[in-house]
Amino acid sequence: MSYSFDMYQTLGIATVVLLFGAWIRKKMVLLQKFCIPAPVVGGLIYAVIMAAIYGFTGMDFDYEETIKNICMVVFFTSVGFQANIKVLKKGGIGLIIMAVLVVVLIFLQNGISLLTAKMIGVDSKIGLATGSIPMIGGHGTAGAFGPILEDFGLKGATTVCTAAATFGLIIGSLMGGPLAESLIRKRKLFEKEKPEDAAILIEEEKSHSHQVGMYAGAAYQLAIAMGLGTLVSWLLSLTGMKFPVYIGSLIVAAVMRNIGDHSKKINIHMGEINDLGGIALSIFLGIAMITLKLWQIADLAMPMVILLVVQTVLMYLFARFVVFNTMGRNYDAAVLSAGFCGFGMGATPNAMANMQAVTDKYGPSVKAYILVPIIGSMFTDFINSLVITLFINLI
């Protein structure tokens, strides 16, 4: 027996779940500390209740996901608008090295997940569902690529991706601070040196004010990028590869942003665009979470545990030995390692929380506070989407 909710009912339920999750999150300090998104908090509770209803009554519920797909495209289009080449140039060689490290980590996360999946005898698509999609991609990318993996035949892929992303958020937050602490104390970095003067890296972009009258303009810019993006996506599809629906919009948004910054003739309303993208992400996650059917992944519990433990070990070793050594083996490198754990297994806010805990104790790191937000928020999702698309088409 099943019941289907229409588009408007789905939106209403998702919004209630989102608000309920926000309320629970305010009541529990632990959830705030680990930056667990409100839609995930409320959505998981809702999913557990629905699983119980299904278990006792056999009653199933289906949801109209049109609005979810629209919100997904809006969010990733807003991400595209953040890709500012001017800021990339200001980051210097450190920013380039960090970008290369992100690419290497993305390939390692997917490669090791596929290898582990093969070793334990599970579908390679399950491996991808615990790779860079939920790890460095977080909940947004998990919700975006979950349906694509389901189209390729992996039932419950969105649930697997979202569960893995939640795991990553928690572990990434738990791992970063202690890792930096051990590096700093073992090598006595706080005694040997002062934090590097990275004034040359200071962000020169003007802060964008948030004005009510500008939200309409921001919405129009998002709509234009999304519309033109369909043409870019169509051109990319001619290559024979399967791309996520938002990739064209993301590319067009990046081009619009940099044309505006270079020509000074287009005023991109970045503050408002970021707000609208955040709202879209919350609604998108809310709908994605209420559609979770936990009983579909009951048989995957043990393989998922193995795959996620492997990802945790990879992240620790990569941050400890690769990031720290490559970025200079100094205090800034230790703080960067903590930040890398945050967005390498979760999201940029987790990375900033990790670094803040370290710098509050030992002193500021300008370099880390400039590089991590730029890489984590501006380029990671774009690069990750392209690499994930490559791996999906390879398998």
Side-chain angles (χ1 to χ4, degrees):
M1 183 184 301
S2 65
Y3 177 83
S4 297
F5 293 104
D6 63 25
M7 180 172 64
Y8 306 106
Q9 293 168 336
T10 298
L11 176 61
I13 294 171
T15 303
V16 171
V17 167
L18 167 63
L19 295 174
F20 176 70
W23 180 77
I24 293 292
R25 192 171 179 270
K26 287 182 179 179
K27 299 294 183 181
M28 300 184 65
V29 177
L30 194 64
L31 297 176
Q32 298 178 43
K33 181 179 180 180
F34 292 141
C35 300
I36 307 298
V40 175
V41 176
L44 284 176
I45 295 174
Y46 183 88
V48 170
I49 294 174
M50 291 299 103
I53 292 175
Y54 177 81
F56 285 109
T57 68
M59 186 71 176
D60 191 7
F61 297 92
D62 294 314
Y63 305 84
E64 168 56 52
E65 300 187 18
T66 300
I67 293 181
K68 185 190 83 170
N69 297 329
I70 294 173
C71 288
M72 176 185 68
V73 177
V74 171
F75 167 67
F76 278 100
T77 303
S78 72
V79 170
F81 274 110
Q82 297 177 31
N84 186 354
I85 294 178
K86 184 188 300 183
V87 178
L88 175 62
K89 292 180 180 179
K90 292 296 179 183
I93 188 65
L95 193 57
I96 296 174
I97 295 173
M98 281 283 287
V100 171
L101 290 177
V102 167
V103 175
V104 172
L105 178 60
I106 291 171
F107 273 97
L108 285 175
Q109 285 182 338
N110 289 311
I112 199 168
S113 65
L114 290 175
L115 178 61
T116 305
K118 183 177 181 179
M119 291 176 61
I120 62 178
V122 299
D123 193 332
S124 59
K125 292 185 285 293
I126 296 175
L128 277 186
T130 59
S132 73
I133 292 176
M135 293 293 102
I136 205 167
H139 285 88
T141 306
F145 278 92
I148 293 178
L149 292 177
E150 288 175 358
D151 290 341
F152 277 89
L154 179 60
K155 291 184 178 180
T158 303
T159 303
V160 174
C161 290
T162 304
T166 301
F167 173 88
L169 278 173
I170 297 172
I171 297 300
S173 296
L174 291 173
M175 183 191 304
L179 171 60
E181 172 81 11
S182 66
L183 288 170
I184 293 170
R185 284 196 167 278
K186 181 179 180 180
R187 298 173 180 272
K188 299 182 179 180
L189 299 178
F190 60 95
E191 296 177 1
K192 292 181 179 179
E193 58 181 299
K194 294 181 179 180
E196 179 180 340
D197 180 10
I200 192 173
L201 296 176
I202 294 177
E203 173 81 56
E204 288 189 357
E205 287 188 304
K206 295 179 180 179
S207 60
H208 300 278
S209 60
H210 299 246
Q211 302 177 18
V212 174
M214 295 294 101
Y215 280 95
Y220 298 151
Q221 289 171 347
L222 285 167
I224 291 171
M226 291 164 63
L228 293 176
T230 61
L231 300 178
V232 175
S233 294
W234 173 73
L235 290 174
L236 291 174
S237 69
L238 297 179
T239 63
M241 297 181 67
K242 187 176 179 64
F243 290 88
V245 65
Y246 64 78
I247 193 68
S249 301
L250 191 151
I251 293 172
V252 171
V255 172
M256 288 176 61
R257 169 70 189 275
N258 288 283
I259 289 177
D261 287 347
H262 180 73
S263 67
K264 305 298 182 182
K265 294 182 179 180
I266 304 176
N267 181 24
I268 303 297
H269 308 299
M270 278 308 304
E272 294 77 16
I273 285 175
N274 287 337
D275 285 347
L276 293 175
I279 294 170
L281 176 61
S282 293
I283 296 175
F284 163 68
L285 287 177
I287 298 176
M289 292 301 297
I290 67 173
T291 59
L292 298 183
K293 297 183 178 181
L294 298 178
W295 57 90
Q296 293 181 345
I297 62 167
D299 296 334
L300 300 178
M302 185 52 65
M304 276 192 66
V305 170
I306 296 173
L307 288 162
L308 292 174
V309 167
V310 170
Q311 290 291 344
T312 301
V313 173
L314 169 65
M315 186 69 257
Y316 178 84
L317 294 176
F318 191 84
R320 169 64 179 80
F321 295 103
V322 180
V323 176
F324 179 71
N325 291 328
T326 303
M327 297 308 296
R329 299 170 63 86
N330 53 21
Y331 176 75
D332 286 315
V335 180
L336 281 168
S337 297
F340 221 97
C341 290
F343 76 78
M345 290 192 74
T348 304
N350 295 69
M352 302 306 294
N354 285 352
M355 295 192 302
Q356 184 176 1
V358 177
T359 55
D360 282 349
K361 184 174 183 179
Y362 293 107
S365 172
V366 177
K367 183 176 182 179
Y369 268 74
I370 294 300
L371 293 184
V372 169
I374 293 175
I375 290 294
S377 65
M378 290 176 58
F379 301 103
T380 299
D381 285 333
F382 183 80
I383 297 171
N384 193 29
S385 296
L386 295 178
V387 176
I388 293 168
T389 300
L390 173 64
F391 272 90
I392 288 177
N393 283 275
L394 287 176
I395 65 171

